[in-house]
Amino acid sequence: MNDVEKYYQSFQQDIIALQESDDEGGSREQLFTRIAIDMLADAGETENTTIAYDEKDLGKKGQHKINGYAVSDNYETVDLFISIYNTDQTIVSISKAEIDRAASLVTNFFRKATYNEYARDIDESRQIFDFANQLATYDELKKNLIRVNIFILTNGEYKGNIPQNKKINGTQIFYHVFDINKLYQLSEDSRLPIEIDFKDLGGEEFIIPCMSASNSNDDYKAYLAIMSGKCLYKLYEQYGARLLEQNVRSFLQFAGKINKGIRDTIKNEPHMFFAFNNGIAATADYIELDENNHVRKIRNLQIVNGGQTTASIYTTAKKDKTDISNIYVQVKFSIIENPEQYSDIVSRISRYSNTQNKVNDADFSANNPALVAIEKLSRYVLSPVTPYCDIQTHWFFERARGQYKTLRSRECFTKAQRAAFDKKYPKEQMFTKVELAKYINAYQEVVGGYNKVVIGPNIVVRGNEKNYAEFIKHNLPDEKKINNVYFEDAVAKAILFKTAEKRYGTRKNDYCIGELRQVAVPYTISLISYLTNNKLDLYKIWRNQSLSDELSDFIYDLMKQVNAFIIDKSPISHYIEWAKKDECWELVKQNEWNFNIEEIKSDLIDENNPPKRKILSNQDVSNEDEKHQENLLRSIPYALWEKIGKWGRDNGLLDIPQQGWASDVAFIVQHNRQFGDRDKKHAMFLFELVCKHNIELLEEADVIAESEKPDAKSFNDITQPSSEEITLDLIKRMVDWDRRRRILKDWQWSVMNEVVQGKRSLTDQMKRTFYTNLERLKSRGFK
């Protein structure tokens, strides 16, 4: 089984596990869509994504289907997503006919929405309505739209040609296919490089004179080139903001005085443009020159300085109909061929090239010290034991994509270890940096200079990328202020947000409030904080790892009011667009809401007896770090440590002293001796080396662990819960009692409801399952 096949198996298992734990009852196709779109967003391929399934007239002329969409902040780009998902155990080959059909289905949606105003045929409560209405009537989108990217997502393998690009209503449509191979590449590299052939760029050939500009060195190679305005126009038309180096994409804007100056030069003095303009700085990891020293191909092209120049040339030519045939720009290419140095060097070039835009080090936030501090705390701060969970668990902060999966593969050599890891680090308690920004920004508004609100729920509604950028700028404290109390409060805010999302519901739930969950949830959470003067007891939420029933019901009732208020007060039919405005949040704060604060008095901080919090010192965290390392090293059997030494000797990766380190560690583990600092340092070096070059070797620990296990009890020896008391009448009462309280997972409640409705038979297996549900409900007050 090759790496892609292993990735496919893991991907399918992740989707199955997600479906079992998913509170929204999503189909596997939509869960696949969500995971794939998240990967594309992390790679900078898309932004502001929304999962929204819609299909109509399948099998008929004019049929359409869509699984999700995205609209960029500047309304230049619309992304449409359609999925081809298979449940097979092995990778399925996808035919060109299937790809062409998918392209036709989603293209039909765009055509119908823009030409025929499909929104007129949709109920306003449908999630797709706001988007279809935008495409048909929203002037700002129609005025600024440059490109539509259609992404065909599939967990199958596709080896055919990509559908030909086309134009609809004057807008260029670009097609992209992301099959299992590309998704695997994304999971490994976190990005897909832009590959450009200047002999055929959008059907045109461009001549780009180029010359080498540096002596040979190991870090990079430099080239100076001259690029025409028409070539830059084509590049921007197809790729847009994807050309701008990802680390600063959210922070640099194509607006300001410099744009006006560039535009004036293009229109009035095009022959002087080369003299007046500073040019463009770009990076890549590969460049190919032809025999005339013209750039033929370039890969992973990223503009680290000059995004404003590029966008201004496009906008001036497109909107002002200005002739750009005499516009030329100098381009400095820095080619970084070493993949291990690529990210670091590109980040540094970006930082030093953008001083005029006041880009701070914090803006390059993958390694932001505050985020690193949160990540470290998330590995060692354990949640309290609660009546619903008898073990302490971690809330895993994934600062960089793939950390959860990497840690699990590195530190879990046996099945028992993997099972223990999954309990200790539940997948549903893993959260990313954009989710952290959403939870924290939604909780409480932040006021900046001149009493201007810089963080509010309207910022959250603007989408992950925009919200995250504002979080970094205005709402992430200095790393010195990041401690366990900050982390515990952040988790409490996550629980608050996730509970509100669950209570709001989706179209699959009969209790669903509507189709504005992405608006009503952050607005309601911010409103509660505002109404209670930020006095919610976050420590109580952290201790209980859940909300009280009273607070959960309070949120539900208030969300219904907020949802109706947004719809009623919006001056435009695009409710989500209205909710992004500062004015919307101000209006919400000024409204008179129907609530009784006494209902949640026990969930507010008692100012006469505030909660006492213990702050962990850096030494406490360091001690936990050392304890974790030692447990990890001792989990590797001594015989395997000896084998690591022989493996390193045979492949030449370990010299003679290092082979001795492996023997020393084996002796310490075998005889349960104490690890000295030097021993631990040597052992971690060996462990890292194995993880990098042959992580499969660690899996041999599984065989040793299995041999050491005591004989397992047979299934019949294990006492099964009594299920005699589970009757149809009792199930009906359980369903009715939990209809609004939502203590059970949605799929648990739905199965019982289907039994009550006669859609499923009440088998003995069902009774045993429902007995577990009964115990859970009884612990929360069901009689």
Side-chain angles (χ1 to χ4, degrees), residues 11 38 56 70 80 120 172 210 251 309 431 453 474 479 482 509-510 548 560 594 728 778:
F11 203 144
D38 285 347
K56 191 171 183 181
L80 307 177
R120 292 178 178 176
Q172 188 71 48
C210 184
F251 303 92
T309 295
F431 59 103
V453 175
H474 301 295
E479 69 270 19
I482 303 293
N509 312 125
D510 61 355
S548 69
K560 288 193 293 185
N594 181 22
L728 197 60
K778 285 165 67 176

Side-chain angles (χ1 to χ4, degrees), residues 273-281 305 309 329-330 356:
F273 189 89
F274 189 86
F276 291 167
N277 188 265
N278 288 331
I280 291 171
N305 185 261
T309 295
V329 180
Q330 62 177 339
Q356 73 274 20

Side-chain angles (χ1 to χ4, degrees), residues 310-497:
T310 307
S312 297
I313 288 173
Y314 178 87
T315 303
T316 306
K318 180 75 172 180
K319 295 184 178 179
D320 299 338
K321 309 300 181 185
T322 302
D323 180 14
I324 58 171
S325 58
N326 291 321
I327 298 296
Y328 291 90
V329 180
Q330 62 177 339
V331 183
K332 179 180 72 174
F333 290 117
S334 298
I335 311 301
I336 300 104
E337 297 174 337
N338 187 338
E340 294 183 0
Q341 292 184 316
Y342 184 86
S343 295
D344 177 61
I345 293 178
V346 171
S347 179
R348 287 160 64 193
I349 293 173
S350 300
R351 187 183 308 124
Y352 302 145
S353 297
N354 284 293
T355 53
Q356 73 274 20
N357 290 298
K358 298 182 181 178
V359 179
N360 299 318
D361 285 353
D363 295 344
F364 298 81
S365 56
N367 296 309
N368 185 294
L371 296 183
V372 173
I374 295 171
E375 175 194 352
K376 190 172 183 179
L377 285 164
S378 79
R379 304 301 188 264
Y380 306 115
V381 174
L382 287 163
S383 68
V385 172
T386 71
Y388 319 112
C389 184
D390 58 1
I391 65 168
Q392 291 184 292
T393 61
H394 290 274
W395 282 78
F396 189 102
F397 175 53
E398 193 174 65
R399 178 175 55 85
R401 184 173 184 84
Q403 285 182 318
Y404 181 90
K405 183 178 179 181
T406 299
L407 185 66
R408 188 177 186 272
S409 65
R410 279 166 49 95
E411 301 192 3
C412 302
F413 327 127
T414 69
K415 292 180 181 178
Q417 284 177 325
R418 285 190 283 273
F421 181 93
D422 293 341
K423 287 183 178 179
K424 196 171 184 180
Y425 298 94
K427 189 68 178 287
E428 63 269 18
Q429 290 180 192
M430 187 269 284
F431 59 103
T432 65
K433 58 181 183 290
V434 295
E435 289 172 326
L436 173 72
K438 180 170 62 177
Y439 303 147
I440 292 180
N441 279 0
Y443 178 72
Q444 179 182 340
E445 71 174 16
V446 175
V447 178
Y450 302 103
N451 289 324
K452 176 178 172 56
V453 175
V454 293
I455 296 291
N458 55 304
I459 300 296
V460 180
V461 177
R462 292 177 189 177
N464 285 341
E465 290 76 17
K466 193 72 175 178
N467 179 64
Y468 177 68
E470 298 304 315
F471 170 69
I472 293 294
K473 289 179 184 178
H474 301 295
N475 211 11
L476 181 64
D478 183 89
E479 69 270 19
K480 294 177 182 177
K481 297 182 180 179
I482 303 293
N483 54 31
N484 62 296
V485 172
Y486 178 90
F487 179 76
E488 291 164 4
D489 285 353
V491 170
K493 293 167 188 176
I495 295 170
L496 189 65
F497 196 100

Side-chain angles (χ1 to χ4, degrees), residues 517-573:
R517 190 174 77 164
Q518 70 189 88
V519 174
V521 168
Y523 264 82
T524 301
I525 290 173
S526 293
L527 182 60
I528 290 176
S529 184
Y530 179 78
L531 294 175
T532 61
N533 197 25
N534 307 322
K535 288 296 187 286
L536 269 184
D537 190 346
L538 294 174
Y539 190 46
K540 178 182 178 182
I541 297 174
W542 163 257
R543 292 197 315 271
N544 295 331
Q545 292 290 289
S546 64
L547 306 189
S548 69
D549 290 343
E550 293 78 12
L551 180 56
S552 179
D553 289 342
F554 188 90
I555 290 172
Y556 180 77
D557 292 337
L558 197 55
M559 274 194 299
K560 288 193 293 185
Q561 295 181 59
V562 170
N563 197 84
F565 181 85
I566 297 290
I567 293 174
D568 181 56
K569 297 298 183 181
S570 175
I572 56 176
S573 59

Side-chain angles (χ1 to χ4, degrees), residues 30 49-56 64-71 78-82 105-106 108-110 112-114 117-137 141 507 514-518 573-576:
Q30 283 303 82
T49 58
T50 299
I51 305 299
Y53 183 84
D54 186 66
E55 66 175 34
K56 191 171 183 181
H64 79 248
K65 175 185 171 184
I66 184 173
N67 290 84
Y69 65 87
V71 182
V78 165
D79 296 330
L80 307 177
F81 304 93
I82 187 169
L105 287 173
V106 72
N108 282 346
F109 170 83
F110 179 74
K112 289 160 69 174
T114 52
E117 298 189 11
Y118 174 57
R120 292 178 178 176
D121 300 328
I122 311 173
D123 190 293
E124 289 191 17
S125 65
R126 295 279 303 280
Q127 189 174 24
I128 201 68
F129 167 80
D130 192 70
F131 177 54
N133 199 24
Q134 261 191 314
L135 290 175
T137 65
L141 177 60
R507 289 185 67 215
E515 293 288 344
L516 291 179
R517 190 174 77 164
Q518 70 189 88
S573 59
H574 312 291
Y575 308 127
I576 294 175

